[in-house]
Amino acid sequence: MTVNLSKSVNQWYVSVEDNFDFKSSEYASLYSESNATVFQSPNWLNEFYAKLVKALAIEPVIVTLRDKAGRLQLVLPCVRQVSAGIKLVQPADIGVSDYNCIVIRKDAIATIKADEKLQQDILQTLSPCDVFFFRKQRSDKPRIEDILNGASMSPADFNSYEVDLENSFDTWSRNNMSKQFRSTNRSKLRKLIAQCGTCDFETLTDKASIEEAMIFIRDTRSARYEGDLLLQPTFFEFYLSVALKYAQDGFAQTFVARVDGKIIAAIFGLNSNRRYCFLLCGFLVDEYGKFSIGSLTTSALISERIKDSSELFDFALGDENYKKRYNTTAIDIRNAVYARSTVGKLVSHIYQNAKPLKNWLKKFSPNLS
C-alpha cells in the first residue's frame, strides 16, 4: 500500500509505502549516497521485511520522501508494535540489527531541518504512535535528530568498536596488535596443531556447511546467553536465510575454524562498501578455550578480510575487553525518543531516566535496548 500524505512548501512529498522495494534501483542509489550502515542496505532490509515482519505479525511503516522531480531523498524503514496497549514505532531492527540510521541524501538534511511543516508531516506518517524510538545510532552517521526536532536524547549503555585495515595482515598486525598478543597467538596455534594435527580456517559457500555452522553458532550461544534470540525459530531462520542467500556474492560471510573436519569456531558477519561487520559467533570454549580459539579465529578472519580488500573491521556493539586488543576506536552510540502522546511522554521518561522501570518496560517490548 502507498499513501501520499502531504506536499511541503518545497514541493517535497511524504508517503508511507508498506510495500517499498528495497531492491529497486532508486533505493540502491539513495543508499550508496547516504552513509548509512550495512543494516540499512538493500539486501538486509529486503530480507527483514520479507521474513521477520510477516512472521512476527508486526506492521511495516516505511516512510519515503521525494522531491518535486520524484527523486527519492529519504527512507525511514520502521515497524509498529503494540505492547500493553502502547503503540511503539521503531526502526527496522527488533533486536537483529546493531545500528539504526536514517537513509538520506546529504543535501536533503538541511532542507528538512529548515521546513517545520515537512518535519511534522514526516512524524505524522508514524501515526498511530505513542512513542517513536530511534535507538542504537552511531555518532558518526546521519541521525534522526539531524532532521526532526523534539527528540529526547540519551547515550546508550555501550559503545561500538572498529579498526581500519591495511594492505597486508603482517603490517596491520604489527601496527595494531601488541608484540605479546601476536606471540601468544602464534604459540597457541602451534600447540593446537601439535595436539590436533591440523586447524583450518575457511569461508563457507555451500548450503550444507553454512547450515551446519549457523546451527553451531546457535547452539554454542545458547549456553552463554539465556533467552538468546537465535533460540527463537523465526529469528534463526532469518539469519540463516541471509547467510545462505548472500554467501556467493560475499555480502554474508560465514567463517569457521575446523579440526579434523569438525567445526570448533564460527563467525557470521556482513560485508558492504569494503566494511566488515562482526555479527554472531560461537566457540567450543570448554574444549579449545586453552588455545584462545576466539582470538585465533578472529585474527584469521581479519587476515582474510585484508586479502579481500576490506578497509575496515567493525566489531559492532558491546564493550568486551578483547576488542581493545586490536587497537580499536570506540564509537559513541546514542538513542533518540519522540513522545507522540501523553502515554508516550511517560514511556519516554521511563526509558530515559529510570533503569528499573526501563527493565519493566522491556517486558512489554523485549527488543528495546
Side-chain angles (χ1 to χ4, degrees), residues 338-358:
Y338 293 82
R340 302 290 295 156
S341 70
T342 301
V343 171
K345 290 178 181 178
L346 176 60
V347 172
S348 175
H349 179 77
I350 291 172
Y351 184 81
Q352 302 282 14
N353 299 295
K355 193 171 184 67
L357 292 176
K358 176 180 174 180

Side-chain angles (χ1 to χ4, degrees), residues 33-37 100-104 106 109 134 137-147:
E33 295 183 33
S34 68
N35 194 31
T37 80
N100 295 312
C101 184
I102 61 175
V103 189
I104 190 169
K106 183 178 179 180
I109 294 176
F134 215 101
Q137 299 185 99
R138 290 173 57 113
S139 59
D140 60 342
K141 296 290 184 180
R143 298 181 300 279
I144 192 69
E145 64 270 21
D146 292 337
I147 60 170

Side-chain angles (χ1 to χ4, degrees), residues 301-365:
L301 173 57
I302 291 173
S303 178
E304 179 159 316
R305 294 316 314 148
I306 289 174
K307 290 178 183 177
D308 206 30
S309 302
S310 289
E311 297 175 352
L312 185 139
F313 194 97
D314 183 353
F315 284 89
L317 297 180
D319 295 309
E320 296 88 350
N321 286 328
Y322 83 90
K323 297 178 181 180
K324 299 174 184 178
R325 305 186 75 178
Y326 295 93
N327 193 32
T328 52
T329 298
I331 307 295
D332 292 336
I333 304 297
R334 302 174 183 176
N335 300 322
V337 182
Y338 293 82
R340 302 290 295 156
S341 70
T342 301
V343 171
K345 290 178 181 178
L346 176 60
V347 172
S348 175
H349 179 77
I350 291 172
Y351 184 81
Q352 302 282 14
N353 299 295
K355 193 171 184 67
L357 292 176
K358 176 180 174 180
N359 292 335
W360 172 83
L361 175 64
K362 289 175 71 174
K363 293 181 181 179
F364 295 99
S365 186

Side-chain angles (χ1 to χ4, degrees), residues 1 4 7 11 24 206:
M1 178 180 68
N4 290 319
K7 181 173 70 172
Q11 294 186 318
S24 64
D206 66 286

Side-chain angles (χ1 to χ4, degrees), residues 11 13 33 43 74 86 117 132 154 221 227 236 247 281 289 304 358 362:
Q11 294 186 318
Y13 292 83
E33 295 183 33
N43 290 345
L74 167 73
I86 302 170
K117 182 182 184 301
F132 178 35
S154 66
R221 282 174 60 93
F236 177 74
C281 64
E304 179 159 316
K358 176 180 174 180
K362 289 175 71 174

Side-chain angles (χ1 to χ4, degrees), residues 52-100:
L52 288 178
V53 170
K54 292 181 180 179
L56 297 174
I58 55 180
E59 296 180 61
V61 182
I62 304 169
V63 179
T64 62
L65 177 65
R66 289 180 170 84
D67 62 23
K68 59 185 179 181
R71 189 185 190 207
L72 191 64
Q73 295 287 340
L74 167 73
V75 173
L76 295 180
C78 298
V79 294
R80 182 183 294 109
Q81 298 169 275
V82 180
S83 299
I86 302 170
K87 301 175 183 66
L88 309 173
V89 175
Q90 305 182 64
D93 178 354
I94 58 174
V96 299
S97 302
D98 272 30
Y99 307 124
N100 295 312

Side-chain angles (χ1 to χ4, degrees), residues 61-265:
V61 182
I62 304 169
V63 179
T64 62
L65 177 65
R66 289 180 170 84
D67 62 23
K68 59 185 179 181
R71 189 185 190 207
L72 191 64
Q73 295 287 340
L74 167 73
V75 173
L76 295 180
C78 298
V79 294
R80 182 183 294 109
Q81 298 169 275
V82 180
S83 299
I86 302 170
K87 301 175 183 66
L88 309 173
V89 175
Q90 305 182 64
D93 178 354
I94 58 174
V96 299
S97 302
D98 272 30
Y99 307 124
N100 295 312
C101 184
I102 61 175
V103 189
I104 190 169
R105 297 189 195 277
K106 183 178 179 180
D107 292 345
I109 294 176
T111 299
I112 300 172
K113 195 67 172 178
D115 190 334
E116 291 187 9
K117 182 182 184 301
L118 189 53
Q119 292 182 48
Q120 289 304 312
D121 290 341
I122 292 171
L123 286 169
Q124 186 61 34
T125 62
L126 307 177
S127 297
C129 173
D130 291 305
V131 61
F132 178 35
F133 286 105
F134 215 101
R135 306 160 296 111
K136 296 188 294 187
Q137 299 185 99
R138 290 173 57 113
S139 59
D140 60 342
K141 296 290 184 180
R143 298 181 300 279
I144 192 69
E145 64 270 21
D146 292 337
I147 60 170
L148 299 180
N149 295 324
S152 177
M153 302 298 304
S154 66
D157 298 331
F158 43 78
N159 295 310
S160 176
Y161 293 84
E162 64 185 30
V163 61
D164 291 329
L165 302 179
E166 299 178 46
N167 292 329
S168 78
F169 179 75
D170 287 344
T171 300
W172 178 86
S173 61
R174 285 195 300 270
N175 290 337
N176 293 279
M177 299 165 63
S178 70
K179 184 176 180 180
Q180 180 179 1
F181 187 28
R182 287 182 282 124
S183 176
T184 298
N185 274 356
R186 288 193 296 267
S187 175
K188 294 289 180 69
L189 183 58
R190 286 195 298 267
K191 291 178 180 178
L192 176 59
I193 293 174
Q195 177 173 311
C196 301
T198 183
C199 182
D200 299 313
F201 301 97
E202 63 173 324
T203 293
L204 306 178
T205 55
D206 66 286
K207 182 176 185 291
S209 295
I210 291 172
E211 287 180 341
E212 179 190 12
M214 295 300 287
I215 291 170
F216 173 89
I217 290 174
R218 180 195 65 193
D219 293 348
T220 51
R221 282 174 60 93
S222 66
R224 292 186 295 153
Y225 305 119
E226 183 179 355
D228 187 54
L229 207 62
L230 288 185
L231 292 176
Q232 300 181 43
T234 296
F235 289 96
F236 177 74
E237 291 299 324
F238 164 73
Y239 285 114
L240 179 60
S241 174
V242 173
L244 291 172
K245 189 170 183 177
Y246 299 106
Q248 296 296 330
D249 67 10
F251 173 74
Q253 182 174 10
T254 309
F255 187 79
V256 299
R258 293 184 187 272
V259 167
D260 293 328
K262 171 187 174 182
I263 295 177
I264 64 172

